[in-house]
Amino acid sequence: PSLVGSEMCIREGPGTGIAPFRAFLQERAASGATGGNWLFFGEQHAAEDYYYRDELEAWQNQGVLHHLHTAFSRDQAHKIYVQDRIREHGAAVCDWLNQGAHVYVCGDASRMARDVDQALRDVLVQHGKLSDEAAQAHLSQLARENGMFEMCTEATRPGAVLRRRHGTGHTGPQRRAGASENAALQRRRGRAAGVETTQHSLPYNQK
């Protein structure tokens, strides 16, 4: 959906999934949007994989990014992922969801997106005092009313996939720009590892 400046947004972007959210935040900073912005970012090592760190932390200091939580899975013996951070801050996440926050996910569609979806359900069960079925129904309602999106990268087919969980949507300029940056970051990372990646465009509404 086309977001207005007062709307709240929660974004989960592990790895190169951060790219489209950087474009969203650039737009919100430039437009002076007043709505809350919350970003969860995960990768393996903070020293090597904290993409756009200076820019993200600058936005946080400026008040553009209200919450920034990171999860670097290999920097400690016990692996920590984005979904773990969501659960850690579950009470506040639940409050944002109940206020109608838009939720965006960009990453591995085969596992990460499902794990994040489960974490959101767990948050609503624990802090919203809902049953699992009611939590799922609540997320579905939020999706219909507020445009809950997932922007996922298929694990076996590198490239940007944008899909709306419910209802109809469109791919606006910022969404297309973010997807292109995601693919470019994927290719750059692949070349650094000696692997060439290729972008595959999949249908907007593919599940």
Side-chain angles (χ1 to χ4, degrees):
S2 178
L3 294 177
V4 298
S6 60
E7 290 175 330
M8 302 165 68
C9 299
I10 300 175
R11 300 181 173 95
E12 293 98 17
T16 57
I18 188 66
F21 299 150
R22 177 177 179 243
F24 275 119
L25 289 167
Q26 287 173 332
E27 180 180 39
R28 299 208 103 189
S31 66
T34 58
N37 293 296
W38 192 336
L39 177 66
F40 292 91
F41 171 70
E43 248 290 0
Q44 292 190 4
H45 302 285
E48 303 169 3
D49 306 316
Y50 196 165
Y51 311 130
Y52 312 122
R53 177 175 186 167
D54 291 345
E55 194 168 19
L56 294 174
E57 292 181 352
W59 280 327
Q60 186 179 30
N61 292 334
Q62 294 163 11
V64 174
L65 188 54
H66 298 79
H67 300 290
L68 172 62
H69 296 295
T70 58
F72 296 101
S73 60
R74 305 303 196 273
D75 280 352
Q76 60 284 311
H78 175 66
K79 294 179 181 178
I80 299 173
Y81 298 101
V82 164
Q83 57 267 27
D84 300 315
R85 296 300 190 205
I86 293 172
R87 292 186 179 95
E88 285 178 15
H89 300 279
V93 170
C94 183
D95 183 56
W96 277 48
L97 290 175
N98 288 333
Q99 292 184 60
H102 294 255
V103 179
Y104 295 82
V105 183
C106 186
D108 179 358
S110 67
R111 291 178 300 174
M112 187 281 302
R114 288 199 298 268
D115 291 341
V116 167
D117 192 67
Q118 182 62 57
L120 292 173
R121 291 202 303 271
D122 292 345
V123 161
L124 288 172
V125 168
Q126 180 179 356
H127 300 282
K129 308 304 179 184
L130 301 177
S131 67
D132 189 65
E133 293 77 11
Q136 183 58 59
H138 187 56
L139 286 178
S140 296
Q141 181 181 356
L142 290 176
R144 287 191 298 270
E145 294 178 353
N146 301 321
M148 186 173 175
F149 274 77
E150 292 176 355
M151 298 183 293
C152 296
T153 301
E154 296 292 343
T156 57
R157 300 180 64 184
V161 180
L162 290 83
R163 66 194 190 191
R164 189 168 186 173
R165 294 189 58 177
H166 296 275
T168 59
H170 62 86
T171 50
Q174 283 295 333
R175 202 162 285 114
R176 289 194 295 269
S180 298
E181 188 171 355
N182 186 337
L185 193 52
Q186 289 268 18
R187 288 195 295 272
R188 188 167 72 234
R189 191 179 183 193
R191 284 195 296 270
V195 178
E196 184 64 33
T197 60
T198 303
Q199 181 178 1
H200 300 267
S201 297
L202 298 180
Y204 176 70
N205 61 351
Q206 179 166 332
K207 297 298 288 181

